Amino acid sequence: MRRTTIFGTVVVALTAGVGVAATPASAATTELFVNNQVACSDAGTGSQAQPFCTLAAASAVVTGGQTVQVKGTYRERLTIARSGAPGSPITFRNVVAEPNGTFVLSGPDAGITIAGQHDVSVTGVSLDGDLTGPTVVVTNSTRIALERLRILQVGLVTVPGIRLAGVTDSTIVRPVVSGSVAPAVSLDAATSRVTMTGATIGSSLGRTGAVEILGSHNAVLRSTVYRSTGVGIAIGPGATDTVVAGNASSASQTFGIENAGATGTAIVNNTVSGNCGSGIRVSGGSTGVSVQNNDVKLSGSASPLCGTVTVEKFDIGVRDAAVSGTTVDYNTVRSQPGNVPYAWGAASGTLAEFRTVSGQGGHDANGEDPAANIDSANSAAPGWPATDRVGRFPEDDPGTADTGAGPVPYADRGATERTLGPVSRLTVTSQLGNAQVTADASASTPGWVPIASYTFDFGDGATVTQTGPVATHTYAQRVYHPVKVRVTDTNGLIQDAFADYDPRDAYVPVGPVRILDTREAIGTPGRTPVPAGGTVTLPVAGRAGVPAEGVTSVTMNVTVTEPTGDGFLTVYPSGEQVPTASNLNWTRGLTVPNLVVMRVVDGKVNFSHSGAGTVHLVADLVGYHTGGVGSSFLPVGPVRALDTREAIGTPGRTPVAPGGTLTLPVAGRTGIPATGVTAVTMNVTVTEPTSAGFLTVYPNGRALPNASNLNWTAGQTVPNLVVVPVIDGKVNFRNSGPGTVHVVADVVGYHTTEAGSLFKPWTPLRILDTRTRLGTSDPTPTPVGPGATIDLRYPVLIPGDAASVVLNVTVTEPTSEGFLTVYGDFGQPLPNASNLNWRRGQTVPNLVVVRVNGANSTIRIFNSGPGTVHVVADLVGVYY
C-alpha cells in the first residue's frame, strides 16, 4: 500500500502561478475592524474597541498587509479600490473568532466589486436577498483570492454570480452559489491561470453553463455542480489548456460537461450523473482533448427536471472535428436502459462499437461491475489530480487487482476514491490518590493506510496530538470529564472514539464511632431534638478518623429515636437541595436505624427532618470513601452466613443471651477469601426478641464501641445493612438488651486490599416508586403482589460495567407481614436471604447493596410475603 505525491503536470503549472494569492508569505501587520453591532464610528481608526460602522470606511483606508475583520450585516456593496503587494495582500474577512462564519451583504445592490487591483483577499461573505445586479465582479486584476463566498439569489431577477474578466493568477475557493444566477461562475476569454476548488453550484439558470470557462490555463477542481438549466461545466471556444478534474456534475438540463471548440482540455476523474443530455460532450473544433478516468452514468435522464428538453443523450459523445486528436480511455460508463452510451463523429453505439470506429476506449468499462472504478485509473492522464473530491489520496484496495496505469496503478476512476479508514478504540484508566489518567488507543486499527496521529481531547480544554496511541493527563480536580480520541490516517481519514474519566473511590473502614447524638450534644452544640422541618449539618471531614481532605462519601449507621410524631429523614450532601428521597421512616415513639452511604460536599452532610413533632438523631460512622488509598469491593451472594435459629454459623440453635456476644468467622467462608479482607457487608436481621434492645456489630478483638446497628421492641423482626471492619477474619455481634434474640446475617460482599470494584457516590435519586409507576411498566400505580417480582433496569444510571448498586429501599402500605429479597444473579435460585422485614401497615426502609445482573444491568426485587406492598428505591451509589 502506497500514497502518491505526484501531481498531473497541468495542475502543477496552475497552482504554482496562484500560490502567493492563496497563502500570503507573511502575516498581516495590522488589523482593522468593522462591526455595526456595537458602538462604532467611521470617523475613528477602526480599532477593535471602536470599529468602523461601514465597509466603505474600511476600504477607504486599508493598505497592503492589513486584515479587515468584519462582523454583522451590511446593506452596501463592498468595493475594493486599493491593492496590496505580493505576500502582503489587502484582506477582508469574517471575524477570526468565527473561522467558518461569514459576514452578510444584503439588499438589491449587495455584492463585491474589485476593478484594476492586485493582491486582494476576500473570505467569508454571504450575499443574501433579492439581488438585482451583478453580485461578485472582478475585472482587470491579478492575484485575487476569493474564499467561502456564499451567494443565495432568491429573487426573480436573474443576475450573474461570480464574474471574472481580465483576471489572472487568482483563486476561487469553496464558493456556494445557487438560485437565479446566470451563469454561476464565469471566466472570460481574457481570464487565465484561475483555479476554482471546492465549489458548490446549484440551481443555476445559465443557458450555456453554470460554470463557463473561455480563457486559458484555468481549472475547476473538486467541485459540485447540479441542477443547471444549461450545461454543468462549459468550456467554450478559445479556451486553452483547461483542467476539469475531480468534480461531480449532475442533473443538468443539457450536458454535464461540454467542451465546445476548446483546445488542450483535460477532463479527468469526474463523476457525471443523471443529466438530461450527454454526460460528457466534446464538439466543434476542439483539439488535444483528454477524457479519462471519468465515471459517467445515467445520462439522458427522464426525470421531471428534464421536461421537454431535446438534446443528445450519450454518456460520452465526441462530435464534429473534435474526433481528431481527442483521447477517450479508462472511463466507466453506466448507461440508461435503451440509451446509446457512445458517439464518435456521426456514429454511435456500444462500447465495442465505439472501440471499433474510434480506436479509443481500450480500457473503458461498461460499468456493470460495481467495482469497475476501483484501482483502475490512469494516473498518467493529463491533469490527473493527486487527491479526490474531498482531498483523499489514492488507496490500494487489497481485495482488488491493480489494473490502472501510470505511477499510481491503484488510483480509482471518478471523483471519489474508495478508501477504508481507521477504526478507533479508547480506554481510560485512572489512579487512586490522584487525578491522573491514561488514555489508551492502542486497540485502534488502521484501514488501508497507516495511522498517522492520535489527538486526545481530555474534556477540560487540554488536547494533545501525537504519533503514539497512549497519552497521560492530570486533571485539576477529580471530577467527571468526557475523553475523546481522534485517530487520523495518512490519507486524512478520521474516526473518533469516546470514553469517560469517571473517578471512583476506595473504602476505608473505621470504628464504628459515634459522631452525632442530639441527646448528648455529640456533633451538635446542644441536647435539643430536631424540630419538624429542621436540618442538622454535620461536619464529618477531619473527625473520628476521617481525613480533612479527599473524602467523597461517608458510611454511617443513622438512628432516629424518641420521635413525638410520624415522619421521615433525608440525608443529603451539604449545600444541595433536599432530594426526593428518604433514608428512615418512623411512627411516633419508634426507634429506627438504617445504614446510610452519603456523598460529602465541603466536608459535611445534612440531615433533614420531614415529619411532625421532634426527633433525636444518632449517627455512628463505620467508614468513608476516598480518592486515595483504600479497599475495593467485591459482591457475593447474598449468602446466609449466620442464623442462630438453624445453627448456621453457630454450634447450636440458641438465641443470643442478654449481654451476650457472638463471634462469627467470615474470612474463608461464604465466598469470602481467607486473606486480604478489610471489611464485610452483611444484611443483619434480629428476630424473636423477648424484650426491647439493640445490637452492636463490631470488629473482633476490639472493645465494644458506643454504637448500635439495630434497635427493636419485644417480638419485632428488624433488618439493617451493616458494614464492619474485619480483624483476624472475624466480627462480633453484641446483644445489649435484657432479653434473648435470634440473629440472622446474609453476606452481600466484602472489601479487600486486592483488585475489585470502586465506588461512585450519587446524590440520592429516586428510580422506583410503585405508588407513582416510576420505574415500572404498569399502566396504573400497582403494588407488588404476593410472590411477584419487579425487574429494575436503568441502563443510563446502571451501566453495563457496574458490579453492584447501593439503594435505599423502602416498603410501605403492606397488606400483611412479609419480607423482601433484592438480588441480581437471575441464573441461580432465589437466595435464602431477606433485605427488609415488615408488619402489616408498617413503612420500613433499609439500605441494600446488590450485585447487578451483568447480562442486562438489571436487579430483581421479590416480595416473599402473602400480601401486596408498595416499594420505593433511591439510588445512592454504584460500584464499578
Side-chain angles (χ1 to χ4, degrees):
M1 294 185 288
R2 298 164 289 168
R3 191 185 84 174
T4 182
T5 56
I6 301 174
F7 287 73
T9 55
V10 176
V11 178
V12 170
L14 288 168
T15 55
V18 298
V20 173
T23 306
S26 61
T29 57
T30 308
E31 291 182 323
L32 301 177
F33 296 86
V34 180
N35 187 350
N36 58 12
Q37 300 176 353
V38 298
C40 58
S41 172
D42 283 349
T45 60
S47 66
Q48 190 169 12
Q50 188 180 54
F52 291 127
C53 299
T54 64
L55 298 170
S59 63
V61 298
V62 65
T63 61
Q66 289 186 311
T67 295
V68 180
Q69 293 195 42
V70 186
K71 183 179 181 66
T73 298
Y74 300 86
R75 292 185 65 84
E76 59 179 302
R77 188 173 189 85
L78 173 58
T79 300
I80 302 175
R82 288 170 166 256
S83 294
S88 297
I90 285 174
T91 300
F92 278 77
R93 63 159 299 141
N94 62 295
V95 290
V96 175
E98 300 172 7
N100 293 314
T102 62
F103 65 92
V104 179
L105 304 179
S106 68
D109 298 324
I112 300 171
T113 297
I114 303 172
Q117 307 303 322
H118 59 84
D119 299 291
V120 174
S121 174
V122 180
T123 297
V125 185
S126 288
L127 284 76
D128 293 340
D130 297 333
L131 309 178
T132 60
T135 53
V136 178
V137 180
V138 183
T139 59
N140 302 320
S141 299
T142 189
R143 294 190 298 275
I144 307 298
L146 305 176
E147 183 171 353
R148 289 194 300 108
L149 304 187
R150 179 182 172 90
I151 303 171
L152 304 178
Q153 165 59 294
V154 298
L156 298 178
V157 178
T158 301
V159 298
I162 299 173
R163 180 159 58 89
L164 273 58
V167 176
T168 60
D169 300 321
S170 298
T171 57
I172 306 171
V173 179
R174 290 194 293 159
V176 177
V177 186
S178 66
S180 302
V181 286
V185 178
S186 172
L187 311 183
D188 82 340
T191 294
S192 63
R193 298 184 301 280
V194 171
T195 299
M196 181 172 72
T197 58
T200 301
I201 310 297
S203 302
S204 170
L205 298 179
R207 292 298 171 183
T208 54
V211 178
E212 297 178 353
I213 302 172
L214 301 175
S216 63
H217 295 91
N218 297 304
V220 179
L221 309 176
R222 298 192 295 275
S223 295
T224 300
V225 181
Y226 64 97
R227 293 181 67 89
S228 170
T229 57
V231 179
I233 301 173
I235 308 100
T240 59
D241 298 322
T242 304
V243 175
V244 178
N247 304 287
S249 180
S250 64
S252 295
Q253 284 192 346
T254 55
F255 312 124
I257 300 172
E258 183 182 28
N259 191 89
T263 300
T265 304
I267 302 173
V268 58
N269 279 95
N270 301 284
T271 295
V272 186
S273 62
N275 296 284
C276 300
S278 297
I280 298 175
R281 187 174 192 270
V282 183
S283 63
S286 301
T287 60
V289 178
S290 174
V291 180
Q292 298 195 55
N293 302 338
N294 301 285
D295 181 15
V296 187
K297 50 193 172 183
L298 304 180
S299 299
S301 173
S303 72
L305 172 71
C306 298
T308 59
V309 175
T310 302
V311 290
E312 293 181 354
K313 300 179 183 297
F314 305 109
D315 290 291
I316 298 177
V318 182
R319 309 292 263 172
D320 312 322
V323 297
S324 175
T326 295
T327 300
V328 177
D329 207 0
Y330 291 93
N331 303 288
T332 299
V333 172
R334 308 167 193 267
S335 187
Q336 284 270 55
N339 280 10
V340 179
Y342 287 92
W344 184 260
S348 60
T350 64
L351 173 58
E353 292 168 333
F354 172 70
R355 287 172 174 166
T356 299
V357 70
S358 67
Q360 299 287 328
H363 299 90
D364 275 18
N366 62 12
E368 294 178 3
D369 180 1
N373 288 341
I374 308 304
D375 295 357
S376 60
N378 177 17
S379 59
W384 175 74
T387 62
D388 72 357
R389 191 163 60 92
V390 294
R392 296 172 183 165
F393 290 92
E395 290 187 9
D396 191 357
D397 182 346
T400 302
D402 296 346
T403 59
V408 187
Y410 52 85
D412 292 352
R413 303 178 185 186
T416 302
E417 174 75 20
R418 184 177 181 182
T419 57
L420 182 65
V423 175
S424 60
R425 296 182 176 91
L426 177 65
T427 59
V428 174
T429 56
S430 59
Q431 301 293 324
L432 284 173
N434 58 48
Q436 185 182 76
V437 297
T438 299
D440 190 344
S442 299
S444 302
T445 55
W448 291 339
V449 296
I451 293 173
S453 66
Y454 302 83
T455 298
F456 296 91
D457 184 340
F458 290 98
D460 63 347
T463 60
V464 58
T465 299
Q466 59 188 44
T467 57
V470 180
T472 60
H473 177 66
T474 300
Y475 290 101
Q477 293 181 307
R478 293 184 71 254
V479 295
Y480 170 84
H481 286 97
V483 182
K484 180 181 81 172
V485 65
R486 170 161 291 182
V487 179
T488 306
D489 69 12
T490 55
N491 208 358
L493 296 178
I494 63 173
Q495 190 183 61
D496 297 336
F498 302 87
D500 296 324
Y501 168 60
D502 197 2
R504 300 159 191 179
D505 307 316
Y507 182 74
V508 179
V510 297
V513 58
R514 185 146 293 176
I515 59 172
L516 173 67
D517 192 338
T518 58
R519 303 168 303 179
E520 302 294 335
I522 298 173
T524 61
R527 294 179 170 84
T528 306
V530 184
T535 299
V536 173
T537 297
L538 177 66
V540 293
R543 299 182 58 206
V546 178
E549 296 182 354
V551 177
T552 57
S553 63
V554 290
T555 302
M556 304 174 289
N557 197 74
V558 179
T559 304
V560 295
T561 189
E562 303 176 21
T564 60
D566 298 349
F568 67 92
L569 187 77
T570 301
V571 187
Y572 63 101
S574 175
E576 297 187 359
Q577 296 292 323
V578 182
T580 302
S582 65
N583 298 90
L584 293 97
N585 300 68
W586 63 84
T587 56
R588 180 178 178 181
L590 188 65
T591 297
V592 177
N594 196 13
L595 193 70
V596 172
V597 178
M598 187 48 54
R599 190 165 60 87
V600 174
V601 175
D602 294 332
K604 306 169 188 174
V605 294
N606 286 346
F607 300 76
S608 176
H609 171 209
S610 297
T614 63
V615 67
H616 278 291
L617 301 182
V618 180
D620 299 320
L621 180 75
V622 297
Y624 63 90
H625 288 97
T626 174
V629 177
S631 300
S632 60
F633 178 78
L634 289 170
V636 297
V639 180
R640 184 142 292 178
L642 173 66
D643 191 339
T644 57
R645 304 167 303 178
E646 301 294 335
I648 298 174
T650 63
R653 294 179 171 85
T654 305
V656 183
T661 299
L662 186 153
T663 299
L664 177 67
V666 292
R669 302 177 59 199
T670 63
I672 299 176
T675 60
V677 179
T678 59
V680 64
T681 301
M682 303 176 290
N683 197 73
V684 179
T685 304
V686 294
T687 190
E688 303 176 19
T690 58
S691 68
F694 67 92
L695 188 77
T696 301
V697 187
Y698 62 102
N700 180 57
R702 289 188 181 174
L704 178 69
N706 177 28
S708 67
N709 297 91
L710 293 96
N711 300 68
W712 62 83
T713 58
Q716 187 182 18
T717 297
V718 178
N720 197 18
L721 194 70
V722 172
V723 181
V724 58
V726 174
I727 295 180
D728 296 330
K730 305 169 186 175
V731 296
N732 290 341
F733 299 77
R734 172 65 179 265
N735 173 17
S736 297
T740 64
V741 65
H742 278 291
V743 181
V744 179
D746 299 318
V747 174
V748 297
Y750 62 94
H751 290 90
T752 175
T753 55
E754 304 299 326
S757 300
L758 299 176
F759 186 64
K760 177 72 175 179
W762 287 73
T763 297
L765 176 66
R766 184 145 296 174
I767 62 173
L768 173 68
D769 191 339
T770 59
R771 301 168 304 179
T772 63
R773 299 171 50 216
L774 175 66
T776 73
S777 58
D778 295 321
T780 59
T782 306
V784 184
T789 61
I790 292 178
D791 285 350
L792 185 59
R793 183 171 185 262
Y794 269 77
V796 175
L797 303 177
I798 307 174
D801 60 344
S804 305
V805 293
V806 183
L807 303 169
N808 197 74
V809 180
T810 303
V811 294
T812 189
E813 303 176 22
T815 58
S816 67
E817 65 179 16
F819 67 93
L820 200 73
T821 301
V822 185
Y823 63 108
D825 190 354
F826 302 169
Q828 300 297 322
L830 177 70
N832 179 29
S834 65
N835 297 92
L836 292 94
N837 301 68
W838 62 83
R839 297 174 180 171
R840 180 178 179 179
Q842 188 180 18
T843 297
V844 177
N846 199 20
L847 196 71
V848 172
V849 177
V850 57
R851 183 202 305 260
V852 175
N853 188 314
N856 54 15
S857 300
T858 305
I859 60 174
R860 179 166 288 176
I861 300 173
F862 177 72
N863 174 18
S864 297
T868 64
V869 64
H870 278 294
V871 181
V872 180
D874 300 320
L875 179 67
V876 296
V878 180
Y879 280 104
Y880 296 89

